[in-house]
Amino acid sequence: MKIALNEIWNFLKMVNTKEEGWSYSLCAGDVSVDAISTETMLALKDDETYDTELLPSIFTFREILWQPDVFTEASMSIPSLRILQAFCEETCAELEEKGGEVNNVYVPLIKGVGDCSGKAMKALQKEKADVKKVLGDFRTCVFPIIKFFIYHPKNRNDYFQDAQNRLNYAVKIMLTQFYGRYTELEDPFWKVSFKKTKPKKDVETKPEEQ
């Protein structure tokens, strides 16, 4: 069953979350986080340890993701991509050290942003690289992951509004200046499955023979 990113919370209100057998997968572009339990989903929604500075750190403050005019040459773009990749690697290491099932959801997503950055850097290092094409592909790659973090239920409202405005602007720029196509912009979504568990049968034990 496919469920839109923000509709999952209404879905969780409707189902019996104590019933065993539910499993969730988050699909965000090339990144998939599988086998998420109901308990982890509920913890994700009410994650009091969520770092609200994460959204501006991986998107709002990263002009490489939405600024059209500054990054016109490879030499100007590669340093920003390198810094973003390093930030993602450091953040993943910190979250892995903290541990926890919720952080296990965040890590592959943040790693995905770092991987998109690394791929773009390699493309820009090639001779006669088409900077606009490379950055367009980079922004398309990161789009569904960034959208997950923008709509995280524990975000600060002002951060959410700012990031949403910049994302809308970024999409417009991608389509008009960076060779993007609207059909290439994937929204993140959830895959929900249910496997009914069979009740355990009581095993009769025979008395030992004297």
Side-chain angles (χ1 to χ4, degrees):
M1 183 190 318
K2 180 178 176 179
I3 298 180
L5 183 68
N6 289 333
E7 291 300 318
I8 194 66
W9 314 121
N10 291 329
F11 177 82
L12 287 170
K13 290 178 182 178
M14 294 187 295
V15 300
N16 180 3
T17 53
K18 294 182 180 180
E19 187 176 17
E20 295 183 0
W22 291 104
S23 181
Y24 306 82
S25 296
L26 174 62
C27 302
D30 294 334
V31 178
S32 179
V33 187
D34 301 318
I36 305 173
S37 67
T38 301
E39 292 77 11
T40 301
M41 292 295 295
L42 295 173
L44 181 68
K45 181 177 183 294
D46 298 315
D47 184 10
E48 296 298 333
T49 65
Y50 178 71
D51 183 3
T52 57
E53 298 301 318
L54 184 57
L55 175 58
S57 295
I58 64 172
F59 178 64
T60 315
F61 297 158
R62 306 297 177 182
E63 293 187 350
I64 188 71
L65 280 165
W66 50 266
Q67 175 61 257
D69 300 324
V70 175
F71 304 98
T72 56
E73 299 177 9
S75 60
M76 300 169 65
S77 304
I78 289 175
S80 293
L81 290 167
R82 184 177 291 113
I83 291 170
L84 178 56
Q85 183 185 42
F87 172 82
C88 290
E89 291 173 352
E90 292 171 6
T91 303
C92 285
E94 291 173 1
L95 292 175
E96 287 171 343
E97 186 176 351
K98 290 179 181 177
E101 291 301 316
V102 173
N103 285 337
N104 288 340
V105 176
Y106 300 146
V107 167
L109 296 168
I110 298 170
K111 183 178 182 297
V113 175
D115 289 344
C116 292
S117 303
K119 184 178 179 181
M121 277 193 294
K122 288 183 180 179
L124 289 175
Q125 288 167 351
K126 294 180 180 179
E127 188 176 355
K128 296 181 180 179
D130 186 335
V131 178
K132 284 195 172 184
K133 178 66 168 61
V134 171
L135 292 184
D137 291 345
F138 164 64
R139 295 174 183 189
T140 300
C141 179
V142 172
F143 177 85
I145 304 173
I146 295 299
K147 201 161 186 180
F148 168 83
F149 285 106
I150 288 177
Y151 289 97
H152 191 289
K154 300 303 286 186
N155 268 331
R156 282 175 43 170
N157 188 59
D158 56 338
Y159 283 3
F160 163 75
Q161 293 292 343
D162 189 12
Q164 188 179 47
N165 290 338
R166 292 185 192 278
L167 184 69
N168 291 337
Y169 177 69
V171 169
K172 178 182 177 181
I173 294 302
M174 285 167 62
L175 300 179
T176 58
Q177 298 187 35
F178 287 83
Y179 311 133
R181 290 193 292 270
Y182 191 77
T183 53
E184 295 176 334
L185 299 177
E186 300 180 39
D187 283 327
F189 63 91
W190 300 92
K191 282 184 181 177
V192 182
S193 59
F194 179 74
K195 185 177 181 181
K196 194 172 182 62
T197 55
K198 295 181 180 179
K200 295 181 180 179
K201 294 181 179 179
D202 294 331
V203 178
E204 294 183 3
T205 56
K206 295 181 179 180
E208 295 183 3
E209 294 182 1
Q210 299 293 327

